[in-house]
């Protein structure tokens, strides 16, 4: 597996647009944003995929092309916590990229002082659950009907990884180029 994590750049707009178009389920990952054109994708990169004190987003790349995202939001230094998330284009799924990227970003966060990382996935998304578990995130419980997409509500399983938890075997922070 050859992936690299790096910050998003305007040059990734075409790849982001293609990823968005590759799978209808990604629409939920982008909230109200519509990435129907490369120009809209470029705007999304500049406004929604930043590196700030409270939010970090890395492009998951293979062969220099962005095929997904792994990020941390709600970074809170007083309590040393953050919310983790990830997505992949349809063509990049099933290869372990998301789990590898999530484990690397988690170790990056722990090395910088965070203690607890949390994430959640719809209970009807077993692939996302598998990513979380392979990256060392342990399930903690179900939040009933937490998410709403259209007229349908979904239960969410919450997972967390602590700095003191065992490291998953696939961890390699050398992937990160920030």
């Amino acid at each position: 597996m050859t992936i690299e994590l790096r910050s998003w750049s305007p040059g990734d707009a075409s790849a982001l647009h293609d990823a968005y178009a590759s799978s209808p389920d990604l629409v939920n990952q982008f909230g109200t944003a519509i990435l129907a054109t490369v120009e809209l994708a470029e705007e999304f990169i500049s406004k929604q995929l930043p590196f700030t004190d409270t939010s970090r987003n890395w492009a998951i790349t293979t062969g220099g092309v962005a095929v997904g995202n792994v990020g941390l939001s709600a970074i809170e230094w007083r309590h040393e916590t953050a919310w983790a998330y990830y997505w992949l284009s349809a063509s990049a799924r099933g290869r372990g990229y998301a789990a590898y990227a999530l484990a690397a970003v988690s170790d990056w966060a722990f090395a910088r002082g965070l203690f607890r990382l949390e994430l959640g996935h719809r209970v009807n998304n077993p692939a996302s659950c598998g990513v979380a578990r392979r990256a060392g995130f342990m399930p903690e419980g179900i939040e009933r009907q937490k998410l709403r997409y259209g007229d349908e509500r979904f239960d969410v399983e919450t997972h967390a990884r602590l700095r003191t938890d065992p490291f998953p075997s696939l961890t390699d922070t050398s992937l990160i180029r920030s």
Side-chain angles (χ1 to χ4, degrees):
M1 164 181 3
T2 304
I3 64 169
E4 183 175 278
L5 305 179
R6 60 167 171 74
S7 57
W8 285 86
S9 73
D12 294 320
S14 180
L16 178 59
H17 167 71
D18 291 347
Y20 177 83
S22 76
S23 185
D25 68 319
L26 283 181
V27 170
N28 295 331
Q29 295 292 329
F30 297 107
T32 60
I34 297 173
L35 307 179
T37 66
V38 172
E39 292 76 21
L40 289 170
E42 187 172 341
E43 183 178 339
F44 184 83
I45 289 169
S46 68
K47 292 182 177 176
Q48 302 296 322
L49 297 175
F51 262 66
T52 68
D53 288 341
T54 59
S55 180
R56 304 282 170 114
N57 285 278
W58 290 266
I60 302 170
T61 67
T62 181
V65 177
V67 297
N69 183 76
V70 61
L72 298 173
S73 65
I75 299 171
E76 206 287 321
W77 294 104
R78 181 180 186 280
H79 296 291
E80 302 169 339
T81 60
W83 184 261
Y85 49 91
Y86 43 87
W87 59 261
L88 288 173
S89 66
S91 64
R93 294 178 185 169
R95 299 178 183 168
Y97 295 167
Y100 213 85
L102 180 60
V105 164
S106 298
D107 289 348
W108 176 93
F110 296 145
R112 279 150 186 82
L114 292 179
F115 181 81
R116 177 183 170 86
L117 303 178
E118 302 172 358
L119 63 83
H121 64 82
R122 293 184 323 271
V123 296
N124 68 341
N125 188 346
S128 189
C129 185
V131 167
R133 286 175 179 262
R134 284 189 301 280
F137 283 72
M138 296 181 196
E140 294 194 324
I142 303 293
E143 296 177 89
R144 298 177 308 134
Q145 298 188 17
K146 182 175 183 174
L147 299 178
R148 187 184 86 186
Y149 298 118
D151 293 331
E152 192 172 0
R153 296 206 70 91
F154 295 89
D155 291 351
V156 171
E157 183 173 53
T158 303
H159 293 246
R161 182 170 167 202
L162 307 179
R163 184 172 48 216
T164 54
D165 286 342
F167 290 101
S169 61
L170 45 73
T171 301
D172 182 0
T173 55
S174 68
L175 297 172
I176 300 176
R177 311 274 184 257
S178 46

